Amino acid sequence: MGATLNTAVGKAAYTLSDRATWLAFQNKADFDVNVVSRATRPLLNQYGVILLNPARFPSVKVKDGQAFIDWLISPEGAKRPSPIFHIGGQQVFFPNYAPGQ
């Protein structure tokens, strides 16, 4: 996404970007870049987690991987990214599910 933003800035073009990348982007001062629109409804930038198949990837650490997945979808894990991941004082990740779903 950073490369796309650099290209858009360099060509005075439009692009779509996720909020976290935009806030972290360091090349804004090179060109008068403005946010043209913010969705009234949040656009989702989904992330997922998949445990690799140990039959295909023998070096995968199944127990460690499953422990991470279990933590990530737990109530504690679901709260974790939200309060701690900020850029410039703005929250950039918001869980969009309830643990146990």
Side-chain angles (χ1 to χ4, degrees), residues 2 12-13 32 39 41-42 51-52 54-55 57 60 62 69-71 78 86 99-100:
D32 185 22
R41 285 183 337 171
L51 184 61
L52 295 176
F57 303 94
V60 72
V62 175
I69 291 170
D70 292 343
W71 174 82
H86 291 72

Side-chain angles (χ1 to χ4, degrees), residues 49-63 65-66 69:
V49 61
I50 298 170
L51 184 61
L52 295 176
N53 182 344
R56 291 194 61 203
F57 303 94
S59 64
V60 72
K61 297 176 182 173
V62 175
K63 287 183 183 178
Q66 189 61 56
I69 291 170

Side-chain angles (χ1 to χ4, degrees), residues 10-101:
K11 295 186 175 281
Y14 292 93
T15 190
L16 296 173
S17 175
D18 63 276
R19 188 166 176 258
T21 303
W22 174 250
L23 291 173
F25 184 58
Q26 300 297 312
N27 195 22
K28 294 176 196 162
D30 292 352
F31 184 75
D32 185 22
V33 177
N34 295 303
V35 175
V36 175
S37 176
R38 287 188 177 90
T40 55
R41 285 183 337 171
L43 299 174
L44 299 179
N45 186 8
Q46 299 276 64
Y47 284 81
V49 61
I50 298 170
L51 184 61
L52 295 176
N53 182 344
R56 291 194 61 203
F57 303 94
S59 64
V60 72
K61 297 176 182 173
V62 175
K63 287 183 183 178
D64 292 340
Q66 189 61 56
F68 174 68
I69 291 170
D70 292 343
W71 174 82
L72 195 60
I73 63 174
S74 73
E76 179 191 356
K79 288 187 286 186
R80 208 56 158 144
S82 180
I84 65 165
F85 202 96
H86 291 72
I87 296 175
Q90 296 186 51
Q91 183 175 337
V92 294
F93 287 107
F94 303 85
N96 67 340
Y97 79 101
Q101 285 184 333

